[in-house]
Amino acid sequence: MPANDAPPSPAAHRTWWRAPLVATLPGLPLLALEYRWFAAQDGPGAFSGVLFWAAGLIALAWVLPHRRSLRRLRIAAAGTGLGCALLPVMFAVLLGAAMASG
């Protein structure tokens, strides 16, 4: 081990990447699909804030420091970002179900 390499601190979280990865794998393709879908419909309209928050929260989950004390914040940011990414699709599905049943 080189002299300038420090051992990992005990506060470092070794599996910090799991929550952002779990949110990014379904969330990022879904966000890209939604941006493309809304661009074809002349802009995101009312969902623009939700899409920007989703992208920002997923990015925040990746850039938070890799400490164990921030594990819950990282999980909350990743989960909320994924929920915001799913919101427009779930709204469209529920609206379609309501229209089909009426």
Side-chain angles (χ1 to χ4, degrees), residues 35-92:
Y35 279 123
R36 186 173 176 182
W37 179 37
F38 285 129
Q41 302 297 326
D42 200 25
F47 287 112
S48 64
V50 173
L51 297 178
F52 292 131
W53 272 101
L57 286 169
I58 291 174
L60 176 69
W62 281 105
V63 300
L64 281 172
H66 307 156
R67 289 192 298 253
R68 187 172 296 279
S69 63
L70 294 174
R71 177 176 51 193
R72 288 190 177 142
L73 182 60
R74 183 176 294 109
I75 291 170
T80 306
L82 181 60
C84 287
L86 289 172
L87 186 66
V89 172
M90 288 293 119
F91 182 73

